[in-house]
Amino acid sequence: MFPICRIAILACALAATSTACAPREAEPDTRPVSTRTDSAGVEIVISEVPLAGAPVYAVMDSTPSLRLGSLDGSPEEQFGSIRGMAPLGDRGIAVLDQQAAQLRHFGPEGSYLGAFGSRGEGPGELMSPRMVARLHGDTLAVYDWRTRRVTRYPVEGGEADVRSLQGEGQSRPNVVSFFPDGRLAGSTRWFVGDGTDVPSENEDIMTVDSAVIALYSARGEIVDTVAVIPNRESIQKWMRAGGGITVLVENVAFARSGVFAAHPDGVWTGFGDRWELRLHGADDGSLRRIIRAPGLAQALTDEEVEAVHRAALAKDSTPAQRERRETWWKLSPRPEIRPTFDRILIDDRANLWLREWPGSDERPHRWWVFQREGDLLGYVDAPVGVTLMALSGDAAWGVVRDDLDVQYVVRYSTTVVDPR
């Protein structure tokens, strides 16, 4: 009997024309390599990876495992303006509909289980809800912009807890992001200028306003300012009318915008002019960590410029609207590098998901995923037309619209390729 190694050699000799026994070249490791440095107590994490060699972090199924919504079904099946979702594990999903001023609860298989809130300004009622989150203890928190209140609903039912956001002299937050313990970070938009320099001809001005990110306690008390970041590039028209000043704001064609999110480690902020995020401590606002991925930057192509222009013109139906649109287009600067990201989500692993700037929305939305420590994990492509809103376990929840602009809630199964 030949030794095992002798059999292997003989087999290769008999199959000289075969590649089965040829040494296999090791597959290149395309995972990003991170370097860490310290600058005055701030950790800087840089992930180096060429865009073409970036790895896939997770794969979403091509068809949804659940679809909620209807054009002409029962009222609870019709959505007017979905502003947020809160996955509840084996209890299903809570969907916030701003138009209905209601938070609806659906089971894991889509059955309607009930609703929280109704239109009004009384305890437990909502006027203009903008955000929902699941807190510790299976409680759902809803931020109502109109009333400047946070209402907490126990999932199992019971009396709602209502807290007004305090802060004398502070404008109401436009967007909020909840910590699991009930605290929240709120963003207030500050326009450039005070109105004293309004041009006599009311011409359009391209500018960047700011967002002040403030921390609120679970009781609604304002604690401190966490950060001030650029908010969004826009065209503003300041006009004097009726003894006051009116500001008309419209985002430029390739608007770069600010993002922020409450996270177990603090508050993450960023602006879409570069692949960079900053972590601020939720206790004192101090800068704790900076993460960068410069290799993800992409040049803005002529084809994409044309696609954005074409999509913008398709929204107009009258000559006056088209004329105004062309003025808007001429005032919109064309950057050499395309905007980087415009949304941020946090999954239940505390990973950060950044949505790559979608451009004309003619291609699938790509999301780049970073570990909480700052390492780039890879990307996830959502199916065409899906806007992700929440992530939980192996599921991604989002919104799609049909040809009649009817909204539907969709759930997609997600498989992590690299579970680091």
Side-chain angles (χ1 to χ4, degrees), residues 29-40:
D29 188 354
T30 60
R31 291 181 299 179
V33 177
S34 297
T35 58
R36 282 177 160 76
T37 57
D38 184 276
S39 176

Side-chain angles (χ1 to χ4, degrees), residues 57-58 85 87 134 177-178 180 261-265 268 343-354 367-373 375 377-380 388-397 414-420:
Y57 170 68
M85 302 178 193
R134 181 186 184 183
S177 181
F178 287 94
H263 184 277
D265 299 334
W268 284 99
R343 291 195 66 194
I344 182 171
L345 293 176
I346 308 297
D347 67 18
D348 52 5
R349 299 179 179 91
N351 293 328
L352 291 73
W353 292 51
L354 290 176
W367 293 77
W368 293 91
V369 186
F370 293 80
Q371 278 184 326
R372 65 193 300 174
E373 293 84 4
D375 303 281
L377 297 177
Y379 67 85
V380 181
L388 297 187
M389 286 193 168
L391 306 158
S392 178
D394 59 355
W397 296 85
T414 304
T415 303
V416 174
V417 176
D418 186 346
R420 290 181 302 155

Side-chain angles (χ1 to χ4, degrees), residues 133-155:
R134 181 186 184 183
L135 309 182
H136 291 320
D138 273 349
T139 298
L140 294 167
V142 175
Y143 172 62
D144 191 321
W145 176 82
R146 181 74 61 82
T147 61
R148 194 172 175 159
R149 299 190 313 202
V150 173
T151 303
R152 297 179 176 86
Y153 302 99
V155 175

